[in-house]
């Protein structure tokens, strides 16, 4: 598939491996292994010249279609599919780290990403320095001594804090660090971290890429050089994506832009309509002029500001729970990026493991809720939210 096709076309055709049966839809090669006509053929396959599939922990044709499509769409040299987003984050970080190394990241991260950096990596002698991701002075200070990896999300989960990707990448490179960006909240449609200076991009494909609540998955996008480290790590530790799930994700990619752009349109409408609602203390959406980092978000995202909105409901946990319990259309769920609108109370779900002080530092209060806007009619969603808030 030629790289000259436009993005919408790549999402539908890139990476296709059509079999001798000339199928229209991508085939699901649900197989763990592959057979050889002769022992000599097996021997040469294992010499690993890349021309044959030998075992699905290493490579599988359906998974490879998903990887090739993602690489071309993101503009990366390599893509590696994984069984979940966390497997992608963990492999992307660990593949290049060793004892004595140092990682710098913001406090405001998806809970499991924070756990890897703060709890797992230090057990193997990797030092973690955490900063306020929106404060360049803290990044500058943390990166005034050598570092090996810088990791961040922008917008970050769940309060939609923006990290200045270009400037942090510049500081990170000057400190000798590899820049890994978790681009889930922005989606590959609205933000291309590689163009902003990142070296590695990771996705939980469970979110917008599947986008229909069916499958877990993840993907790591990087250079050929970093791929040389990631490939053996994945091969030998085995967080492989199932061919069936790869097929679901391929189907998801076909409609990714359409879905994300409609979700963004809905989210922008809801954010503007709810911003000054009397039951809401403060609403966070990077697309609103009131977001303190709106200009920065606009300088690194194109086409929109995502489908996630956070807001603090007046009256704390009790009022937030009451509002959630009154919703008829929006479902209470911690997933995001789905066709269905989903809402969650971070303090008691996704960020329950944090102490109250840790939650306060990243802006999560007792009345904070995070809304993932879906594909329903925007007026229906607004009616449901308004009646729940009243
Ligand atoms: C969901 C999510 C992950 C983890 O992905 P899984 O597919 O659930 O393992 C990582 N980072 C962010 C920002 C996420 O939203």
């Amino acid at each position: 598939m030629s790289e000259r096709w436009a993005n919408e076309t790549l999402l539908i055709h890139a990476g296709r491996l059509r079999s001798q049966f000339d199928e229209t839809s991508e085939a699901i090669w649900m197989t763990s292994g592959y057979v050889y006509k002769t022992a000599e053929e097996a021997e040469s396959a294992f010499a690993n010249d890349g021309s044959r599939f030998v075992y699905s922990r290493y490579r599988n044709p359906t998974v490879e279609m998903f990887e090739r499509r993602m690489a071309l769409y993101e503009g990366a040299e390599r893509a590696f599919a994984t069984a979940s987003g966390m497997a992608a984050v963990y492999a992307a970080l660990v593949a290049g780290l060793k004892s004595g190394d140092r990682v710098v990241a913001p406090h405001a991260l998806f809970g499991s990403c924070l756990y890897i950096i703060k709890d797992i990596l230090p057990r193997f002698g990797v030092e973690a320095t955490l900063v306020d991701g929106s404060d360049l002075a803290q990044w500058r200070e943390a990166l005034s001594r050598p570092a090996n990896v810088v990791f961040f999300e922008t917008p970050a989960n769940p309060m939609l804090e923006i990290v200045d990707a270009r400037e942090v990448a510049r500081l990170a490179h000057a400190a000798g660090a590899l820049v890994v960006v978790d681009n889930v909240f922005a989606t590959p449609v609205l933000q291309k971290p590689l163009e902003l200076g990142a070296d590695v991009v990771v996705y939980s494909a469970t979110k917008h890429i599947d986008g229909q609540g069916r499958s877990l998955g993840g993907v790591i996008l990087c250079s050929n050089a970093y791929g040389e480290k990631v490939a053996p790590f994945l091969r030998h530790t085995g967080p492989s994506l199932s061919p069936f799930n790869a097929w679901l994700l391929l189907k998801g990619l076909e409609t990714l832009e359409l879905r994300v752009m409609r979700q963004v349109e809905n989210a922008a409408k809801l954010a503007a309509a709810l911003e000054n609602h009397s039951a809401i203390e403060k609403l966070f959406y990077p697309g609103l002029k009131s977001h303190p980092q709106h200009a920065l978000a606009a300088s690194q995202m194109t086409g929109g500001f995502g489908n996630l909105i956070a807001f603090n409901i007046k009256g704390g946990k009790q009022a937030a729970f009451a509002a959630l319990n009154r919703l008829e259309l929006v479902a209470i769920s911690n997933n995001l990026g789905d066709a269905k609108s989903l809402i969650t109370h971070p303090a008691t779900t996704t960020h329950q493991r944090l102490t109250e002080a840790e939650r306060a530092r990243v802006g999560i209060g007792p009345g904070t809720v995070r809304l993932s806007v879906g594909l329903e009619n925007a007026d229906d969603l607004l009616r449901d939210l308004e009646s729940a808030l009243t």
Side-chain angles (χ1 to χ4, degrees):
M1 179 60 50
S2 163
E3 286 184 44
R4 69 193 161 83
W5 299 116
N7 279 341
E8 310 89 286
T9 309
L10 291 176
L11 283 175
I12 293 164
H13 295 285
R16 185 173 58 216
L17 289 171
R18 192 168 269 157
S19 83
Q20 70 273 32
F21 301 116
D22 300 320
E23 64 281 355
T24 310
S25 176
E26 294 75 3
I28 307 174
W29 277 288
M30 208 66 208
T31 181
S32 45
Y34 307 84
V35 296
Y36 314 96
K37 286 186 190 68
T38 62
E40 287 79 5
E41 200 184 304
E43 181 185 28
S44 80
F46 269 78
N48 196 21
D49 63 359
S51 62
R52 277 209 50 149
F53 293 94
V54 298
Y55 191 50
S56 286
R57 170 150 51 77
Y58 306 166
R59 284 172 64 207
N60 171 280
T62 311
V63 175
E64 200 150 298
M65 282 193 272
F66 171 65
E67 292 174 331
R68 289 197 201 175
R69 192 168 294 179
M70 279 301 307
L72 285 168
Y73 185 60
E74 191 76 34
E77 289 172 350
R78 295 290 298 271
F80 298 95
T82 56
S84 71
M86 285 324 303
V89 170
Y90 187 68
L93 292 175
V94 170
L97 286 171
K98 61 183 185 321
S99 173
D101 282 356
R102 184 166 169 260
V103 177
V104 180
H107 291 282
L109 289 179
F110 183 75
S112 299
C113 299
L114 188 65
Y115 184 80
I116 289 174
I117 289 170
K118 205 163 78 68
D119 296 68
I120 297 180
L121 293 180
R123 298 210 311 254
F124 298 90
V126 175
E127 182 192 342
T129 302
L130 297 175
V131 299
D132 173 346
S134 62
D135 184 353
L136 276 177
Q138 289 193 27
W139 282 109
R140 234 172 258 127
E141 161 77 23
L143 293 169
S144 62
R145 60 192 179 96
N148 304 85
V149 169
V150 162
F151 178 83
F152 61 87
E153 302 165 13
T154 181
N157 182 38
M159 302 310 290
L160 294 321
E161 162 193 304
I162 309 295
V163 172
D164 185 337
R166 289 186 185 89
E167 184 59 15
V168 170
R170 199 186 61 74
L171 292 166
H173 291 148
L178 180 89
V179 178
V180 182
V181 173
D182 179 336
N183 202 39
V184 165
F185 271 45
T187 80
V189 179
L190 306 174
Q191 182 170 267
K192 299 280 188 204
L194 297 177
E195 292 171 9
L196 301 172
D199 303 297
V200 181
V201 182
V202 290
Y203 290 102
S204 163
T206 315
K207 311 297 167 54
H208 308 78
I209 292 173
D210 173 57
Q212 289 147 90
R214 305 165 296 191
S215 161
L216 295 174
V219 59
I220 302 168
L221 298 130
C222 61
S223 63
N224 282 325
Y226 197 62
E228 293 305 308
K229 294 186 178 180
V230 175
F233 182 87
L234 292 175
R235 235 181 134 114
H236 301 298
T237 60
S240 324
L241 181 66
S242 152
F244 184 75
N245 289 356
W247 179 81
L248 289 171
L249 299 176
L250 278 163
K251 296 293 109 183
L253 285 178
E254 291 183 357
T255 57
L256 179 69
E257 285 202 357
L258 282 175
R259 286 183 289 104
V260 168
M261 294 317 288
R262 172 59 70 84
Q263 286 172 328
V264 163
E265 200 181 303
N266 282 353
K269 274 190 204 168
L270 292 181
L274 293 173
E275 187 181 12
N276 299 310
H277 193 284
S278 60
I280 293 177
E281 198 173 81
K282 190 161 173 45
L283 182 143
F284 305 83
Y285 183 65
L288 290 175
K289 298 243 165 22
S290 62
H291 189 287
Q293 298 169 294
H294 172 67
L296 177 60
S299 77
Q300 49 196 37
M301 299 177 80
T302 38
F305 298 88
N307 76 314
L308 288 134
I309 302 173
F311 49 94
N312 298 335
I313 296 177
K314 289 179 188 165
K317 177 181 171 185
Q318 204 182 350
F321 272 34
L324 260 54
N325 293 343
R326 276 194 295 264
L327 287 162
E328 281 178 30
L329 185 57
V330 178
I332 302 171
S333 172
N334 47 284
N335 199 6
L336 60 94
D338 201 275
K340 297 180 173 69
S341 291
L342 306 172
I343 198 162
T344 189
H345 183 253
T348 53
T349 59
T350 54
H351 293 70
Q352 194 188 97
R353 276 191 68 261
L354 272 60
T355 64
E356 205 166 320
E358 286 173 323
R359 280 195 292 270
R361 181 163 47 207
V362 295
I364 304 170
T368 302
V369 297
R370 186 199 72 194
L371 172 66
S372 170
V373 181
L375 295 172
E376 301 92 339
N377 176 281
D379 294 329
D380 287 344
L381 290 172
L382 187 59
R383 213 174 322 126
D384 193 39
L385 287 158
E386 278 180 334
S387 76
L389 285 166
T390 305

